[in-house]
Amino acid sequence: MKFDAVYYEPASLTYPLGRMLRENFGELPWIPIESHNSIKEMQEKPNSEFGKMKRNLIIGIRKTHKYVENHKVSDFLAPYTSSGCTAMCLYCYLVCNYNKCAYLRLFVNREQMLDRLIKRGKESGKPLTFEIGSNSDLVLENTVTGNLEYTINRFGEEGVGKLTFPTKFNMVEPLLNLEHRGKVIFRMSVNPQPIIQKIELGTSGLKQRIEAVNRMCEAGYPCGLLIAPVILVEGWRDLYRGLLEELKAGLSGKMKKRCFLKLF
Ligand code: SF4
């Protein structure tokens, strides 16, 4: 992935991931910041700069680790290794939350975050499911950090309960041979291709997403499909009927048998 500049909290370079990013993006300008939460230079930019701002990478240390109860597909939303994204879905709730500062922020203290998740899972009397992808797209993030590889291998070995995350991207190749041991639920978000093209800007196409979820299912991950958000543009019934037909034709037999489906 290409970026224009890196804004970073200097303390992030004391973490292995921070140093790895410094090495990988060493040719870019590195601009020190006090906090990833408040970058004055960005806050002052006009909204018209939104697209350009998303071409910066922000690196910091996550300080908030509060889990929020959730009863959709998990027990808790757990803040994890990134927030924001380089894509530009027009409905993205991150834009409502962070306004024009919905750029990709990476948090380098992944060991600390995963330690907490593993500890929480072990201490609970019943198996819990933790949603780790509610603030960003981890498959996209993984192309920069390799964090999913780190997370899935370690949780597969040490974790109790399950992790889950949704995605709109197809770069699953590095995940296929990991030791997930069935503890990581992969959810692919889909929409009709014309909606992806006009509204989910910068994400993977429908065919690529279908192919990716088939591959994850084949690799033994529990997989789900998410048709969300359903967007009521003119002719939406035909578009969504077409989507269901494409899913019927494109999903593998195994995926059709095993997957679960959520509509929002
Ligand atoms: S892919 Fe997800 S996180 Fe990224 S802009 Fe779209 S909805 Fe937001």
Side-chain angles (χ1 to χ4, degrees):
M1 204 182 302
K2 290 207 169 108
F3 296 100
D4 290 344
V6 181
Y7 290 74
Y8 75 110
E9 292 176 4
S12 42
L13 299 182
T14 60
Y15 290 80
L17 179 58
R19 290 195 291 275
M20 184 193 96
L21 293 167
R22 176 82 193 203
E23 215 178 295
N24 292 354
F25 295 100
E27 80 289 357
L28 297 178
W30 278 64
I31 302 150
I33 49 173
E34 251 174 58
S35 163
H36 64 81
N37 272 329
S38 162
I39 308 174
K40 204 158 176 268
E41 185 187 325
M42 303 268 193
Q43 287 162 341
E44 284 170 354
K45 286 198 197 283
N47 286 347
S48 56
E49 292 283 300
F50 181 69
K52 269 198 203 148
M53 285 164 63
K54 282 216 168 202
R55 297 204 329 236
N56 294 316
L57 183 59
I58 316 301
I59 298 178
I61 297 163
R62 190 184 271 292
K63 291 157 196 99
T64 314
H65 300 279
K66 196 168 169 256
Y67 296 176
V68 177
E69 263 193 64
N70 174 261
H71 300 291
K72 282 186 184 166
V73 289
S74 64
D75 297 293
F76 289 100
L77 305 180
Y80 207 51
T81 49
S82 53
S83 143
C85 172
T86 55
M88 282 193 278
C89 302
L90 301 187
Y91 54 76
C92 180
Y93 94 102
L94 298 172
V95 179
C96 307
N97 277 2
Y98 304 123
N99 189 243
K100 59 198 172 200
C101 299
Y103 34 62
L104 178 59
R105 285 186 246 186
L106 303 178
F107 304 114
V108 291
N109 46 332
R110 63 183 182 186
E111 293 81 5
Q112 190 190 2
M113 288 179 266
L114 189 51
D115 284 350
R116 284 176 72 94
L117 271 174
I118 291 172
K119 188 165 177 270
R120 184 70 183 266
K122 281 185 179 159
E123 284 173 357
S124 162
K126 56 171 186 159
L128 295 175
T129 300
F130 299 100
E131 164 69 82
I132 56 172
S134 61
N135 265 330
S136 63
D137 194 301
L138 296 181
V139 171
L140 176 77
E141 188 228 282
N142 189 58
T143 64
V144 182
T145 60
N147 274 342
L148 276 181
E149 284 139 273
Y150 166 78
T151 302
I152 293 172
N153 275 333
R154 223 189 118 194
F155 194 83
E157 197 177 328
E158 300 171 45
V160 173
K162 291 205 169 17
L163 300 181
T164 183
F165 58 89
T167 185
K168 292 185 172 67
F169 289 90
N170 71 329
M171 300 80 94
V172 296
E173 183 74 36
L175 313 183
L176 299 177
N177 294 316
L178 303 180
E179 294 292 331
H180 57 80
R181 300 182 198 197
K183 296 182 191 173
V184 178
I185 305 168
F186 178 83
R187 289 154 33 233
M188 181 57 85
S189 165
V190 290
N191 243 317
Q193 182 58 29
I195 288 191
I196 292 178
Q197 252 159 274
K198 284 195 197 126
I199 296 177
E200 296 182 342
L201 308 176
T203 62
S204 299
L206 176 61
K207 279 199 169 51
Q208 288 77 19
R209 295 190 204 180
I210 294 175
E211 199 182 306
V213 78
N214 283 341
R215 295 180 82 198
M216 289 296 275
C217 181
E218 199 52 46
Y221 286 87
C223 290
L225 285 178
L226 195 63
I227 302 184
V230 173
I231 299 182
L232 303 183
V233 288
E234 213 184 309
W236 68 274
R237 281 176 201 278
D238 287 340
L239 285 174
Y240 283 89
R241 192 173 300 119
L243 170 64
L244 293 175
E245 277 160 13
E246 273 201 62
L247 290 173
K248 191 174 164 203
L251 290 175
S252 66
K254 195 170 186 177
M255 181 61 195
K256 277 187 220 159
K257 225 186 256 169
R258 290 202 182 161
C259 81
F260 60 92
L261 178 66
K262 276 257 171 197
L263 282 134
F264 292 108

